[in-house]
Amino acid sequence: MEYRNIHGTDLNVSALGFGVWTVGTTWWGVKDEQMGEQLLRRAYDLGVTFFDNGDTYASGKAEELQRRALGDVRENIVIASKFGYDIYSNPERPGQQERPHDWTPVYLRKALEGSLKRLGTDYLDYYQLHNPRMNAIEQGSALADDLWAELAKLKDEGLIRAYGTALGPALNERQIEESIATIEQRRAPTQIIYNLLEQVIGEPLLKVAEAEQVSVIARVPHASGLLEGYMTLETEFEPGDHRNWRMTTNAKKKAWMEDGLQKAEQIDAQFVAGKGRTIGQLALQFALHSPMMASVLPNIYNQKGLDEYVAAFDAVPLTASEYGGIQALYADNFGLQTNLIGEVVK
């Protein structure tokens, strides 16, 4: 395992993190809580120290699951969680619809208190605004300035060690502005969707991150499964899988998969076959290429995937020449006329 500093904080984390949403909700088909606990524990045993959660994941149940799995090793791990969605006044919504945000300092403290209780700890290492818009980030906004001032107070009180943003829920160009504002105006790290097929945010942001020496965290490094090596045009997602509701028609699903799999085939042929790595491992190596990328959060929902991703650090490394070759393909849209990747993301 490799460990990196989240620049802009004093936190050191495993370069492979664990996004608890995959086992703490049913959005990826994992419904067995015991299996979820076992995966979290195995990840820790394999060297993973960074666990990213959120209070809105199953209305707090994902945080409780993490406590059961890792509560006895709390001092050895870095716990991240998220706040902003009002999970107390608004019941769970179908199809992953967004709840209303509440960015008031009063709600911030209420949300933190709830997460600390569910996670079984008296402090959080890293606390993130969950899918904020610019009005909760930019300086000069009374809403944002009050919120970030309260975050600084919570850090001074020892209730959190660091804070930043986790942007979403879907990939769009609006998040370029939001992510850059987080780093330039708030001097705080940000979490984004980033992978070798979806670079619309990461490409400009990583340049800013390097200039400011503030880190980025990536999620969905496997492009919602396209870079995991299992998907075909016949792949069907389970009823609870979040990709079903984002792809509302079979035609949209087929077009997305055709587009992505054609690109994945080119990646596999040029940078995976005979190279001593899987496409899933290559995807992680690519996402971690920049020194400003502190950690990546793949979707881990079985032991096979976890073991494969941990082994990425022992696989044949991605060379600078290979990285340049991938970027050349990306710049040319892999020779395709359409680009449907990015429409279906967490």
Side-chain angles (χ1 to χ4, degrees):
M1 182 59 64
E2 180 182 333
Y3 300 89
R4 299 185 177 190
N5 174 248
I6 302 180
H7 297 302
T9 78
D10 62 357
L11 302 176
N12 294 311
V13 297
S14 54
L16 178 72
F18 197 127
V20 184
W21 84 298
T22 53
V23 297
T25 72
T26 61
W27 298 339
W28 283 89
V30 178
K31 302 177 178 65
D32 187 331
E33 291 189 1
Q34 183 177 6
M35 184 178 75
E37 292 177 31
Q38 291 172 349
L39 282 172
L40 288 169
R41 191 64 185 207
R42 180 167 178 80
Y44 170 75
D45 290 340
L46 291 172
V48 175
T49 61
F50 183 44
F51 295 88
D52 181 60
N53 217 315
D55 63 3
T56 192
Y57 298 159
S59 298
K61 292 180 181 178
E63 292 178 320
E64 295 172 351
L65 182 147
Q66 180 175 325
R67 181 194 69 232
R68 294 194 299 271
L70 300 169
D72 63 325
V73 294
R74 196 274 169 265
E75 297 305 315
N76 300 329
I77 62 176
V78 175
I79 298 179
S81 197
K82 307 180 190 74
F83 73 96
Y85 289 119
D86 184 354
I87 66 171
Y88 300 102
S89 303
N90 296 274
E92 188 104 21
R93 295 186 172 192
Q96 252 188 294
Q97 296 178 48
E98 287 189 89
R99 293 179 169 102
H101 280 123
D102 188 336
W103 298 119
T104 62
V106 171
Y107 185 78
L108 165 58
R109 286 189 175 264
K110 179 179 180 178
L112 177 59
E113 180 181 353
S115 287
L116 292 175
K117 181 178 180 180
R118 290 186 292 270
L119 286 161
T121 181
D122 56 6
Y123 69 96
L124 287 185
D125 298 290
Y126 185 51
Y127 207 28
Q128 303 157 94
L129 284 70
H130 200 173
N131 299 340
R133 308 313 194 248
M134 277 296 288
N135 68 336
I137 301 172
E138 62 184 344
Q139 290 180 337
S141 160
L143 174 73
D145 288 345
D146 288 348
L147 174 65
W148 288 80
E150 195 70 13
L151 284 166
K153 290 178 183 178
L154 291 171
K155 182 179 178 181
D156 289 343
E157 293 169 20
L159 294 174
I160 57 177
R161 293 176 62 193
Y163 47 87
T165 62
L167 301 176
L171 184 71
N172 58 57
E173 293 188 0
R174 183 200 74 227
Q175 291 161 40
I176 299 173
E177 182 181 11
E178 294 163 354
S179 61
I180 290 175
T182 298
I183 288 179
E184 288 189 334
Q185 297 184 33
R186 299 298 178 180
R187 304 292 304 164
T190 187
Q191 181 188 139
I192 62 169
I193 296 164
Y194 178 69
N195 56 70
L196 62 85
L197 299 182
E198 300 169 299
Q199 301 185 46
V200 64
I201 305 172
E203 194 170 39
L205 177 63
L206 286 169
K207 296 175 183 177
V208 174
E210 186 169 1
E212 300 293 335
Q213 287 297 292
V214 177
S215 282
V216 176
I217 297 165
R219 68 179 185 275
V220 200
H222 295 106
S224 297
L226 290 169
L227 299 173
E228 290 184 38
Y230 74 87
M231 194 180 292
T232 71
L233 291 176
E234 287 69 47
T235 297
E236 295 290 338
F237 306 126
E238 293 188 33
D241 193 296
H242 79 114
R243 290 168 291 188
N244 282 321
W245 77 265
R246 289 194 182 277
M247 290 181 285
T248 54
T249 66
N250 287 334
K252 185 175 182 179
K253 171 186 172 182
K254 182 180 179 182
W256 173 77
M257 294 178 76
E258 286 179 345
D259 188 76
L261 290 175
Q262 287 182 71
K263 296 172 181 177
E265 287 174 5
Q266 293 184 53
I267 293 294
D268 187 79
Q270 297 186 45
F271 304 103
V272 175
K275 299 291 187 180
R277 61 171 82 98
T278 67
I279 193 169
Q281 292 169 342
L282 172 69
L284 297 179
Q285 293 173 344
F286 176 88
L288 287 165
H289 180 78
S290 169
M292 301 316 300
M293 189 63 71
S295 187
V296 293
L297 304 166
N299 296 315
I300 299 170
Y301 39 79
N302 57 44
Q303 183 173 319
K304 179 179 180 294
L306 171 60
D307 291 349
E308 176 187 349
Y309 301 155
V310 170
F313 299 94
D314 295 319
V316 174
L318 179 69
T319 68
S321 176
E322 289 175 320
Y323 179 83
I326 292 172
Q327 291 299 61
L329 283 175
Y330 177 81
D332 189 43
N333 193 37
F334 295 79
L336 304 180
Q337 297 301 309
T338 60
N339 185 15
L340 301 178
I341 304 304
E343 292 187 6
V344 185
V345 290
K346 173 182 168 237

